[in-house]
């Protein structure tokens, strides 16, 4: 798989990262280098090997169904560029 | 136990210019898990709270915050799976579904794409007596809900409330087994009923606790059968997905509109683009939600913040042991144990609270009579007052008392209705009310005969006429009932009058 300029632009758009047009070829190059590395990994035969999901033998940690958090509207909204009447106010988004 | 066999309902057919078209529908139902706290944070799930007050830093996606799963939400998903006779996966895992929207602060939704917690199950959807469809469930996965955007508070801004952000949802995915708008509504109703029995989702559609994405396509007669035989989707038409339906009525209207829209395109020689559409109830139409260029590319990948979710068979078995009797089983039992009709059993089992109330009334009494009283008198009266069984002024014990009085012959059906109204409005013990207000039916033959004699003696001309024309005997019955304040046993009155007129 080879990443061209258009694909790089599309990935940047999906990630909502603005990339100048002249920077796209270099970005595509970087993607290709990364994919090349992954292709190398793909050469390893992992048939029948369980994927390792953690380096320590842990079980997913669970929590009880108890309300222990919240009631901090002021803190939640503290970093918002615009907040009104307890809401985040954002530019109109309507489909 | 009684076992019923069903015939499948006919698919909805829409006549086209050249040939008929059939509908094929699959649903993704999003059911909010009933829990105190959210799926990955300790914030409350309470509906209607002050905006952004039920928000933990995890929900607001503050840097460095990590999700910790709520064990009870997992239990609820397993319970739902068991209720839908589904396979429970002891190994499941969470993935990130990446997209940007203001009410999704993480920039991704934690969901389960590759390894859902629940596998294949089924739901029996009844469409009338003896007519039902078994709708196959493909999977149920756990995921986070998004926040809420409010667009009508300001002309230029949208307002975002993160209270719902991170609340646990179960996405219940059906196979394309639903064949018409009414079936789709019946399917959602049945899912809702089962989850309410299980206590895993309150099913409140108005609050958005139950919403459905509806996939609709159309095909020619015969195509669907070919699909069922091969499970090859190529036999079916291209589908469109109508997002976020939270009303049964609108869902049905949307399906109907969408099918007709697709048929019009196909008959015009066009082709259907697979896309997401929104239903506009004001215009009764669906419209495209996102243009093709912006088609979703969610770039799913395993969530690095969460280890796979492994559960033990013992734990699942423990949950299975606590499952309540479910609607299908309860309905069959009501039919076989209480001799109820299919319809009455359906009405009584629609809601678990109603079913329990009925059973308390029917215990040790005539089941059919109890069903009549619960459905016709009590439900009718509650509906008039816009009350539910939970705020019924008449308890199961009181209604049972009234029925016992009828069966014992202490009161007539007519008096029973008066008594019911007294108990409903004033309360009290039915037997005591009957005693203290002298409502007891007169079954003393001597007393009734005396009343009949008295009326006949006072109306000799009527007696002569009635002897000629037995149809006039009814007049005497009415007079006797009036004289006894409606308390005479009508059967006894009829018998005595007939005997006297013929004798």
């Amino acid at each position: 798989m080879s990443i061209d300029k258009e694909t790089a632009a599309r990935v940047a758009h999906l990630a909502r990262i603005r990339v100048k047009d002249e920077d796209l070829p270099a970005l595509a190059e970087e993607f290709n280098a990364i994919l090349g590395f992954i292709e190398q990994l793909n050469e390893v035969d992992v048939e029948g090997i369980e994927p390792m999901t953690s380096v320590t033998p842990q079980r997913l940690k669970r929590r009880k169904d108890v309300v222990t958090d919240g009631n901090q509207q002021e803190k939640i909204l503290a970093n918002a560029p615009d907040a009104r009447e307890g809401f985040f106010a954002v530019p109109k988004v309507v489909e | 136990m009684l076992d019923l066999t069903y015939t499948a309902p006919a698919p909805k057919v829409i006549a086209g210019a050249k040939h008929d078209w059939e509908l094929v529908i699959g649903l993704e139902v999003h059911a909010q898990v009933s829990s105190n706290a959210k799926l990955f944070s300790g914030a409350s799930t309470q509906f209607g709270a002050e905006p952004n007050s039920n928000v933990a830093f995890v929900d607001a996606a503050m840097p460095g915050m990590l999700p910790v799963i709520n064990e009870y939400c997992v239990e609820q998903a397993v319970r739902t799976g068991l209720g839908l006779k589904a396979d429970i996966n002891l190994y499941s895992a969470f993935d990130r579904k990446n997209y940007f929207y203001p009410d999704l602060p993480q920039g991704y939704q934690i969901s389960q794409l590759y390894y859902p917690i629940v596998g294949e199950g089924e739901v029996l959807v009844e469409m009338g007596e003896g007519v039902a469809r078994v709708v196959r469930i493909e999977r149920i996965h756990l995921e986070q809900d998004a926040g809420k955007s409010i667009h009508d508070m300001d002309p230029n801004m949208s307002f975002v409330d993160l209270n719902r952000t991170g609340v646990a949802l179960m996405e219940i995915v059906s196979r394309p087994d639903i064949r018409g708008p009414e079936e789709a509504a019946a399917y959602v109703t049945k899912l809702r009923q089962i989850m309410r029995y299980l206590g895993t989702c309150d099913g409140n559609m108005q609050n958005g606790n139950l919403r459905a994405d509806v996939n609709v396509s159309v095909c020619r007669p015969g195509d669907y059968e070919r699909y069922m035989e091969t499970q090859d989707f190529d036999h079916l038409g291209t589908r469109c997905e109508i997002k976020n339906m939270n009303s049964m009525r609108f869902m049905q209207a949307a399906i109907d509109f969408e099918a007709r829209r697709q048929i019009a395109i196909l008959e015009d020689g066009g082709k259907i683009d697979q896309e997401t559409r929104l239903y506009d109830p004001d215009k009764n139409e669906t419209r495209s939600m996102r243009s093709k260029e912006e088609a979703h590319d969610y770039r799913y990948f395993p969530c690095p913040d969460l280890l796979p979710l492994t559960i033990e068979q013992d734990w699942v078995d423990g949950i299975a042991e606590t499952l309540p009797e479910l609607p299908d089983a309860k309905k069959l039992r009501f039919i076989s144990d209480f001799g109820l009709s299919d319809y009455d059993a359906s009405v009584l089992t629609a809601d678990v609270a109603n079913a329990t109330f009925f059973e308390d009334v029917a215990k040790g009494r005539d089941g059919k009579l109890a069903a009549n009283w619960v459905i016709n008198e009590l439900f009718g009266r509650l509906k008039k007052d816009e009350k539910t069984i939970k705020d019924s002024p008449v308890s199961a014990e009181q209604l049972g008392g009234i029925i016992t009085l009828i069966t014992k012959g202490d009161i007539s059906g007519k008096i029973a209705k008066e008594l019911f109204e007294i108990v409903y409005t004033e309360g009290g013990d039915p037997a005591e009310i009957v005693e203290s207000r002298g409502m007891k039916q007169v079954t003393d033959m001597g007393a009734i005969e005396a009343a009949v004699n008295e009326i006949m003696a006072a109306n000799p001309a009527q007696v002569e006429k009635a002897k000629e024309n037995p149809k006039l005997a009814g007049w005497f019955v009415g007079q006797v009932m009036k004289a006894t304040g409606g308390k005479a046993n009508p059967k006894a009155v009829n018998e005595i009058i007939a005997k006297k007129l013929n004798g």
Side-chain angles (χ1 to χ4, degrees):
Chain A
M1 191 174 156
S2 167
I3 303 282
D4 58 15
K5 210 181 110 181
E6 281 67 40
T7 313
R10 178 175 153 70
V11 173
H13 173 70
L14 284 171
R16 297 297 187 274
I17 295 172
R18 183 176 297 153
V19 179
K20 284 193 203 122
D21 212 41
E22 63 258 36
D23 293 338
L24 284 172
L27 184 66
E29 245 350 272
E30 264 183 69
F31 279 148
N32 281 320
I34 295 166
L35 288 176
F37 174 62
I38 290 168
E39 263 162 41
Q40 232 178 324
L41 289 178
N42 275 343
E43 288 166 17
V44 183
D45 181 9
V46 291
E47 187 67 33
I49 298 173
E50 213 178 296
M52 186 178 73
T53 49
S54 169
V55 289
T56 52
Q58 274 186 44
R59 183 172 179 264
L60 178 66
K61 207 174 152 51
R62 273 98 155 141
R63 200 165 41 75
K64 294 269 172 241
D65 184 32
V66 180
V67 176
T68 54
D69 214 334
N71 286 319
Q72 45 177 355
Q73 190 196 60
E74 222 170 285
K75 285 183 183 169
I76 292 298
L77 296 172
N79 296 323
D82 191 358
R84 300 178 205 179
E85 293 169 65
F87 293 94
F88 291 91
V90 301
K92 197 121 193 149
V93 270
V94 74
E95 290 257 14
Chain B
M1 196 165 76
L2 206 65
D3 202 11
L4 298 181
T5 47
Y6 298 95
T7 50
K12 162 108 176 176
V13 173
I14 296 176
K18 293 193 197 88
H19 58 80
D20 284 348
W21 295 91
E22 289 182 5
L23 274 63
V24 179
I25 301 160
L27 262 69
E28 293 162 25
V29 171
H30 298 264
Q32 190 183 105
V33 173
S34 294
S35 67
N36 298 317
K38 295 183 178 180
L39 181 56
F40 294 116
S41 87
S44 168
T45 60
Q46 191 70 46
F47 180 82
E50 174 76 9
N52 292 304
S53 61
N54 291 342
V55 185
F57 290 139
V58 185
D59 310 316
M62 291 296 173
M65 302 310 295
L66 288 171
V68 181
I69 199 163
N70 180 339
E71 191 167 33
Y72 183 67
C73 294
V74 178
E75 184 182 327
Q76 290 285 62
V78 169
R79 184 171 285 120
T80 303
L82 291 169
L84 302 179
K85 298 176 206 152
D87 303 328
I88 306 300
N89 295 324
L90 299 182
Y91 176 96
S92 65
F94 291 94
D95 305 294
R96 287 186 181 178
K97 176 181 181 177
N98 299 281
Y99 67 96
F100 286 97
Y101 206 73
D103 55 23
L104 186 83
Q106 288 169 159
Y108 56 84
Q109 177 193 34
I110 303 179
S111 181
Q112 296 188 302
L113 178 68
Y114 301 108
Y115 300 99
I117 182 139
V118 177
E120 295 184 337
E122 60 178 49
V123 181
L124 181 76
V125 180
E126 286 170 271
M127 300 299 298
E129 196 170 339
V131 181
R133 169 118 38 221
V134 176
V135 174
R136 295 170 299 162
I137 303 292
E138 184 182 319
R139 58 188 282 158
I140 304 176
H141 58 258
L142 271 172
E143 63 184 25
Q144 300 173 299
D145 206 344
K148 215 177 261 178
S149 301
I150 299 161
H151 304 295
D152 56 7
M153 281 176 70
D154 187 282
N156 305 312
M157 308 295 274
S158 289
F159 283 17
V160 179
D161 174 10
L162 301 183
N163 280 349
R164 210 179 58 187
T165 305
V167 169
L169 292 181
M170 297 177 279
E171 180 170 329
I172 305 168
V173 183
S174 85
R175 299 270 183 205
D177 290 357
I178 298 159
R179 305 301 313 280
E182 296 81 15
E183 269 185 53
Y187 167 75
V188 175
T189 304
K190 185 62 179 282
L191 274 185
R192 181 175 180 273
Q193 181 192 23
I194 293 171
M195 290 190 288
R196 284 173 60 89
Y197 267 62
L198 293 166
T200 56
C201 170
D202 71 11
N204 188 327
M205 295 187 89
Q206 247 165 1
N207 292 356
N209 297 356
L210 192 67
R211 345 190 258 278
D213 297 342
V214 186
N215 287 286
V216 181
S217 68
V218 295
C219 66
R220 291 169 178 238
D223 285 347
Y224 188 78
E225 286 69 20
R226 281 186 274 281
Y227 155 71
M228 280 307 254
E229 221 166 273
T230 57
Q231 293 299 308
D232 181 353
F233 286 109
D234 286 349
H235 292 296
L236 301 180
T238 304
R239 67 190 151 91
C240 287
E241 180 181 2
I242 314 166
K243 276 275 180 209
N244 249 335
M245 305 299 311
N246 66 351
S247 140
M248 300 280 193
R249 192 161 61 87
F250 290 155
M251 181 172 76
Q252 295 181 66
I255 292 170
D256 192 70
F257 172 87
E258 179 57 21
R260 289 174 198 278
R261 183 188 73 89
Q262 292 180 13
I263 292 167
I265 292 173
L266 292 169
E267 296 205 326
D268 232 28
K271 73 183 245 305
I272 307 298
D273 292 325
Q274 184 173 336
E275 61 179 359
T276 308
R277 301 179 68 84
L278 257 192
Y279 176 70
D280 181 341
D282 294 329
K283 293 184 184 146
N284 185 31
E285 62 177 33
T286 64
R287 56 186 152 81
S288 185
M289 215 170 146
R290 301 175 183 97
S291 63
K292 229 177 176 179
E293 292 76 35
E294 285 174 276
H296 274 175
D297 182 346
Y298 292 126
R299 294 149 296 139
Y300 278 98
F301 64 88
C303 182
D305 288 341
L306 291 158
L307 286 167
L309 174 61
T310 49
I311 53 178
E312 290 71 42
Q313 188 61 47
D314 280 356
W315 187 66
V316 174
D317 294 343
I319 297 169
E321 275 168 30
T322 66
L323 283 201
E325 182 181 37
L326 290 171
D328 292 341
K330 202 181 275 294
K331 182 182 159 183
L332 289 179
R333 188 168 58 80
F334 278 13
I335 293 172
S336 62
D337 287 11
F338 295 111
L340 301 190
S341 67
D342 191 278
Y343 177 80
D344 283 356
S346 293
V347 171
L348 290 168
T349 54
D351 188 274
V352 69
N354 289 347
T356 308
F357 188 97
F358 163 74
E359 276 205 81
D360 289 342
V361 174
K363 207 171 285 165
R365 301 191 178 92
D366 179 341
K368 271 188 190 167
L369 189 61
N372 281 341
W373 273 85
V374 170
I375 295 172
N376 298 327
E377 301 307 322
L378 182 63
F379 288 177
R381 190 68 174 80
L382 290 173
K383 195 172 178 191
K384 209 169 117 192
D385 287 357
E386 291 176 6
K387 283 183 172 161
T388 67
I389 198 82
K390 285 191 182 73
D391 2 88
S392 169
V394 178
S395 70
E397 199 190 341
Q398 286 169 315
L399 186 54
I402 295 173
I403 291 166
T404 300
L405 291 167
I406 301 170
T407 328
K408 270 169 50 189
D410 281 359
I411 52 172
S412 65
K414 189 166 162 284
I415 294 284
K417 286 185 188 178
E418 286 170 28
L419 175 61
F420 173 81
E421 191 56 32
I422 294 169
V423 174
Y424 188 96
T425 47
E426 301 170 28
D429 175 54
E432 273 169 27
I433 294 169
V434 165
E435 207 58 57
S436 66
R437 304 200 188 183
M439 297 168 83
K440 211 163 184 171
Q441 180 164 251
V442 180
T443 42
D444 175 351
M445 295 302 254
I448 294 172
E449 195 164 350
V452 172
N453 284 340
E454 201 175 301
I455 285 160
M456 284 191 164
N459 300 283
Q462 282 286 341
V463 175
E464 287 314 309
K465 277 193 216 161
K467 276 184 178 169
E468 310 269 304
N469 182 1
K471 278 184 190 159
L472 295 176
W475 183 83
F476 287 100
V477 178
Q479 292 299 308
V480 174
M481 294 308 281
K482 207 163 133 191
T484 57
K487 287 178 295 186
N489 180 321
K491 199 169 150 247
V493 174
N494 269 308
E495 278 168 15
I496 291 170
I497 289 170
K499 204 171 78 192
K500 295 220 175 263
L501 290 175
N502 294 334

